[in-house]
Amino acid sequence: MGSPVTTSLPRRDTLGELRGLLRERVVHLFALGTFLALVGWHAFKEKYSVLDLDIWWHLKVGQWIVEHRGFPHTGILSRTAADRPWAAYSWGYELLLSRAYDWFGLVGAGVFGVVLTMAVAYAVYWMARRLSGSFWVGCVLGAITCSAFLFNLMPRPVFFSMILYAVTLTLLLEAQRTGRIQLLYWLPLAFLLWANLHIQFIYGLFVVGLFVAANLAHHLAERLGFEPDFLQPTSLPAQPLIAVFMVCLLATCCGPYTYNLYFVIAGYVTAKFPYTFIREFQAISFRAGSHFVELILTGAAFFALGLEKKLHLFKLALLIAAAIVGYRTMRDTWFICLAAAACIADSLAAEAPESGESLVEKAGIAAALAIALALLAANTNFTMRGLDEAVSSEFPVNAINFLRHNPQPGPLYNTFDWGGFLTWYMPDYPVAIDGRTDLYGDEIDTRFFKTQQGDASYVEDPYLNESHVILLSTKVPLASVLLQDSRFRLIYQDSISVVFARD
């Protein structure tokens, strides 16, 4: 009996085909577009852009700048701090926001916040891809990093700090790895923009200073004949590094407030109220999933640093400093998350880096995203009517409309949270307080907070006693206290707000 005849079929290299597919440019573009679209969809769905407590006074300040063709130097919009010195240090953001609103209404302001959120996501991806040289490392690491911090804050001027911080880290680490000092010549331009967009340019300046100090320490050690094998040497010359830092420092003074921004920074450093009473200034509580992602990113960055053949002094110092800041306050988690992502990506740098997206490809992604997001906006009720409803559910729109039809003599008393909204929606009544803690200072901020909480000292509060119309949230204890105070009479109430008058 003969042996059966068998026909051998060619074996398919499934793993090889998958690798080839993952290298396809169209797959890369689709994955990147999907990542950014998901970020945009979440921003549309949550409507963070118009639910932020602070966006309104930023909007009003931007409109003030346009109307007056100048920059404020005192506490505009406020009656209790009108004469106190104040700098609109985020004037660039405020001007852009006000243009978006004046041109396209509330939808324009909302879309501005969504686009800014997506810009942060793209900046994180760009940083991770450029440092690693791999699209998939950039895309996956970017998505993980964004999940740790991006939606912990609403789109504010700090989002520009996130973007420019990612650019700064990329230039520093790439210059360190390649020895191309020319890359750092872009930094002064970045700081010129940064200092006119957000006060936390000081974080970036600190990182550049740390980078220069680490490299100078290497040069000094070499001159002293101390060259340990475990430290990674530097190929960047000392004098150009110092020059770059000094030009960056000068660039931060090129704006309407010049060097006075550093006095604002000093005020924030010495302030106590925000770190005591404002939740976003508190340390992370590890009650949210994003906090654990932050912890994993931090641990992975230190682990990646430990796996390198030689110790990178700047990256070690960066991670330590960023961890101290990022775990100190919830609003600054981006500072450690981006530093960790940059160090991880740099440790995974490919010998033959993949090229980034061309200008045509970027334009194609932008066009596809615009179409996709226009469809998503309708499905998430991100329309004028939907945004009006969202705003009315969080802010005292109906109470203000009541006061417009039934005007009461001022001055107005309000609490911290709604002050920003009142500057925009009820400008006829200068606010008693709003979200600008740097304007009011610890003493005034604490006085308003204690009164809001219904502290017994409210009867002696000069700001409350001089007011004739009081607009409060039903949630604050003071609203219940005033119901029992014969000096005040309730003239309006709805589900979220109450209005008292004082004769």
Side-chain angles (χ1 to χ4, degrees):
M1 187 173 179
S3 301
V5 178
T6 59
T7 304
S8 60
L9 297 175
R11 296 180 60 186
R12 295 182 61 183
D13 185 0
T14 305
L15 186 58
E17 290 180 357
L18 179 60
R19 288 174 177 171
L21 179 63
L22 292 177
R23 294 192 188 101
E24 290 290 336
R25 197 68 169 181
V26 66
V27 177
H28 288 186
L29 298 178
F30 178 78
L32 177 58
T34 301
F35 165 53
L36 295 176
L38 288 173
V39 171
W41 169 78
H42 188 75
F44 274 134
K45 181 173 69 73
E46 298 298 332
K47 300 179 178 62
Y48 289 134
S49 307
V50 297
L51 296 180
D52 184 18
L53 299 175
D54 284 347
I55 186 178
W56 308 105
W57 69 258
H58 283 298
L59 173 56
K60 192 63 180 178
V61 168
Q63 291 176 331
W64 190 97
I65 291 172
V66 173
E67 291 170 4
H68 292 79
R69 298 180 182 274
F71 302 93
H73 292 272
T74 56
I76 59 170
L77 314 178
S78 171
R79 72 169 176 87
T80 57
D83 297 327
R84 295 172 70 94
W86 181 70
Y89 54 77
S90 299
W91 71 267
Y93 165 89
E94 289 149 4
L95 197 60
L96 292 172
L97 176 63
S98 70
R99 295 306 84 210
Y101 176 79
D102 287 346
W103 292 339
F104 305 105
L106 195 57
V107 171
V111 170
F112 175 75
V114 172
V115 171
L116 190 55
T117 304
M118 294 171 62
V120 174
Y122 181 79
V124 178
Y125 153 77
W126 174 83
M127 176 189 73
R129 184 200 56 75
R130 178 147 181 164
L131 289 175
S132 67
S134 167
F135 168 81
W136 289 110
V137 170
C139 197
V140 174
L141 185 57
I144 294 172
T145 305
C146 286
S147 71
F149 75 89
L150 186 54
F151 293 107
N152 291 346
L153 286 176
M154 298 183 183
R156 297 178 182 175
V158 68
F159 277 35
F160 280 111
S161 283
M162 297 173 187
I163 294 169
L164 291 167
Y165 180 52
V167 172
T168 299
L169 287 176
T170 303
L171 293 174
L172 292 176
L173 291 175
E174 193 169 329
Q176 182 76 69
R177 189 173 66 231
T178 63
R180 294 169 55 201
I181 188 70
Q182 297 84 354
L183 289 170
L184 302 184
Y185 297 162
W186 289 100
L187 287 176
L189 176 59
F191 279 95
L192 176 63
L193 293 172
W194 201 341
N196 290 285
L197 289 166
H198 191 230
I199 198 71
Q200 284 185 298
F201 73 84
I202 193 65
Y203 282 21
L205 197 63
F206 167 77
V207 169
V208 174
L210 194 64
F211 180 83
V212 173
N215 279 272
L216 291 181
H218 279 293
H219 286 294
L220 180 61
E222 290 174 359
R223 287 192 176 187
L224 296 176
F226 179 67
E227 300 181 45
D229 293 336
F230 64 86
L231 284 180
Q232 182 175 330
T234 181
S235 58
L236 298 174
Q239 290 183 348
L241 281 175
I242 297 174
V244 166
F245 178 75
M246 296 305 297
V247 176
C248 287
L249 183 62
L250 290 174
T252 64
C253 298
C254 295
Y257 299 105
T258 62
Y259 62 86
N260 290 298
L261 290 177
Y262 288 93
F263 291 107
V264 178
I265 293 168
Y268 271 116
V269 170
T270 57
K272 297 179 180 179
F273 173 82
Y275 300 97
T276 305
F277 298 106
I278 300 179
R279 183 176 178 273
E280 66 186 42
F281 282 89
Q282 306 297 312
I284 63 173
S285 59
F286 289 103
R287 293 180 180 178
S290 61
H291 296 167
F292 292 95
V293 178
E294 177 186 351
L295 183 62
I296 292 170
L297 271 174
T298 306
F302 277 106
F303 182 74
L305 191 63
L307 289 180
E308 294 184 357
K309 295 180 180 178
K310 292 189 176 183
L311 179 63
H312 197 301
L313 186 59
F314 166 66
K315 288 199 287 189
L316 177 61
L318 171 66
L319 287 176
I320 293 173
I324 293 172
V325 174
Y327 286 91
R328 171 64 182 84
T329 61
M330 283 186 280
R331 65 172 294 164
D332 286 338
T333 54
W334 59 273
F335 193 60
I336 177 58
C337 290
L338 287 178
C343 291
I344 293 171
D346 189 61
S347 69
L348 298 174
E351 294 183 3
E354 302 171 2
S355 59
E357 299 79 31
S358 66
L359 185 60
V360 173
E361 290 171 334
K362 290 176 182 176
I365 292 176
L369 280 173
I371 295 172
L373 292 176
L375 297 174
L376 288 172
N379 291 328
T380 55
N381 203 25
F382 201 90
T383 60
M384 182 63 75
R385 181 175 180 178
L387 294 178
D388 279 337
E389 291 174 352
V391 170
S392 297
S393 68
E394 294 291 331
F395 297 101
V397 172
N398 294 330
I400 295 172
N401 291 338
F402 168 81
L403 288 173
R404 287 176 176 171
H405 291 95
N406 303 273
Q408 301 292 320
L412 169 73
Y413 184 90
N414 63 277
T415 51
F416 182 86
D417 287 349
W418 281 349
F421 182 76
L422 296 175
T423 64
W424 173 73
Y425 199 63
M426 197 168 63
D428 292 339
Y429 290 85
V431 296
I433 196 169
D434 54 70
R436 295 173 290 174
T437 56
D438 59 312
L439 167 62
Y440 297 93
D442 285 344
E443 183 178 350
I444 295 178
D445 286 332
T446 303
R447 172 75 269 177
F448 272 86
F449 182 81
K450 290 176 68 176
T451 298
Q452 173 183 317
Q453 296 304 110
D455 187 86
S457 62
Y458 90 93
V459 295
E460 301 173 354
D461 187 338
Y463 305 109
L464 178 63
N465 289 333
E466 69 187 12
S467 301
H468 291 278
V469 58
I470 297 91
L471 175 57
L472 303 171
S473 166
T474 55
K475 296 179 181 179
V476 301
L478 180 62
S480 299
V481 171
L482 293 188
L483 287 172
Q484 311 301 321
D485 193 322
S486 60
R487 297 176 301 165
F488 302 91
R489 57 186 175 88
L490 180 68
I491 61 173
Y492 176 84
Q493 182 173 12
D494 59 34
S495 60
I496 66 171
S497 59
V498 291
V499 179
F500 294 92
R502 180 172 179 171
D503 298 324

